[in-house]
């Protein structure tokens, strides 16, 4: 499962709590069922954040472990005590857990790259009603950038997208400019 973080920032513990809390919401438990084991990427802090999230959802008897990367230590919480289990790096169990962790990292990095690409190629034009991807491409091809679209005269816009879309487009851009004031975003063709 992929979860786009709603809480801003870069805090492992807060994000671990958010993901586990969202994954184990009542509706999601019915939809996706509960796993036999949860493997947390991290040590005591990350494991503690995940356990707290489970507790918030009323889940107390879920099998959950952490895998601390530094020494490939398995972390288990027994009651209120965290216990570290150190196995040989040649252990089949450690190798399996490492492969699971590495695959989840690859999955997460791939998703993060997709989100980053979308952010970099999104445009104010994407938010305008009746302006879809095809119309957006036409506008950017004709005027070169968002700034060019903003500066275009009504008649020029009508020639590209027709009178009704041109009217909607001009109204939206005027309102956006009024709401945000002159910003650098209008000079960036990707914003």
């Amino acid at each position: 499962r992929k979860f786009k973080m709603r809480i801003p920032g870069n805090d492992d513990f807060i994000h671990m709590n958010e993901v586990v809390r969202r994954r184990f919401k009542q509706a999601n438990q019915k939809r996706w069922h509960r796993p036999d084991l949860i493997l947390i990427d991290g040590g005591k802090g990350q494991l503690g954040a995940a356990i707290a999230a489970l507790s918030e959802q009323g889940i107390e008897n879920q099998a959950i472990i952490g895998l601390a990367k530094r020494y490939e230590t398995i972390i288990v919480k027994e009651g209120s005590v965290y216990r570290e289990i150190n196995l040989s790096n040649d252990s089949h169990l450690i190798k399996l857990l490492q492969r699971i962790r590495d695959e989840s990292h690859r999955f997460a990095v791939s998703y993060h790259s997709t989100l980053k690409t979308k952010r970099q190629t999104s445009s104010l034009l994407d938010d305008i009603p009746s302006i879809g991807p095809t119309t957006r491409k036409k506008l950017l091809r004709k005027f070169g950038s968002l700034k060019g679209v903003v500066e275009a005269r009504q008649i020029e816009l009508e020639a590209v997208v027709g009178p009704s879309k041109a009217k909607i487009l001009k109204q939206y851009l005027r309102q956006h400019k009024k709401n945000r004031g002159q910003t650098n975003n209008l000079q960036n063709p990707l914003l």
Side-chain angles (χ1 to χ4, degrees):
R1 302 285 171 220
K2 299 174 190 173
F3 292 94
K4 190 175 181 182
M5 296 295 89
R6 294 177 181 159
I7 300 171
N10 191 16
D11 186 318
D12 274 1
F13 308 127
I14 290 173
H15 288 144
M16 183 66 69
N17 183 285
E18 178 187 352
V19 167
V20 173
R21 191 173 14 86
R22 287 171 58 192
R23 165 56 179 90
F24 286 92
K25 280 187 343 188
Q26 200 71 346
N28 291 341
Q29 284 187 59
K30 289 178 185 172
R31 189 175 317 139
W32 300 326
H33 309 290
R34 282 179 50 184
D36 295 328
L37 174 68
I38 299 173
L39 173 62
I40 298 299
D41 179 23
K44 294 176 186 175
Q46 289 86 353
L47 184 60
I51 290 170
L54 289 171
S55 189
E56 290 169 23
Q57 300 298 327
I59 300 170
E60 300 296 332
N61 296 324
Q62 174 68 49
I64 182 169
I65 62 171
L67 181 61
K69 187 167 186 158
R70 188 170 180 190
Y71 299 110
E72 303 297 8
T73 303
I74 299 170
I75 311 292
V76 180
K77 186 173 183 189
E78 297 174 339
S80 61
V81 177
Y82 288 93
R83 200 175 76 146
E84 296 182 3
I85 302 170
N86 293 305
L87 299 175
S88 161
N89 283 339
D90 295 338
S91 161
H92 292 295
L93 176 59
I94 287 293
K95 287 182 180 186
L96 174 64
L97 295 176
Q98 287 171 333
R99 284 200 311 264
I100 293 168
R101 184 202 45 224
D102 294 346
E103 179 61 16
S104 69
H105 279 193
R106 187 198 62 74
F107 189 75
V109 167
S110 170
Y111 181 55
H112 179 72
S113 297
T114 300
L115 291 177
K116 185 175 180 181
T117 300
K118 283 183 181 178
R119 278 193 309 271
Q120 290 174 337
T121 59
S122 68
S123 167
L124 175 63
L125 297 175
D126 294 334
D127 299 332
I128 301 174
S130 79
I131 304 296
T134 304
T135 305
R136 176 181 175 244
K137 284 178 190 172
K138 282 183 191 177
L139 288 165
L140 292 175
R141 199 173 353 198
K142 173 70 176 173
F143 300 107
S145 68
L146 178 58
K147 184 178 181 186
V149 173
V150 169
E151 293 173 352
R153 294 177 306 167
Q154 185 77 23
I155 195 161
E156 294 173 314
L157 292 172
E158 288 176 2
V160 177
V161 298
S164 61
K165 283 186 181 181
K167 182 179 176 182
I168 292 169
L169 178 60
K170 269 299 190 190
Q171 286 175 342
Y172 188 90
L173 292 173
R174 212 173 290 125
Q175 186 63 39
H176 178 75
K177 185 176 177 181
K178 181 180 170 185
N179 290 345
R180 298 205 42 187
Q182 287 285 12
T183 66
N184 291 335
N185 290 347
L186 296 179
Q187 295 172 2
N188 185 338
L190 299 177
L191 293 178

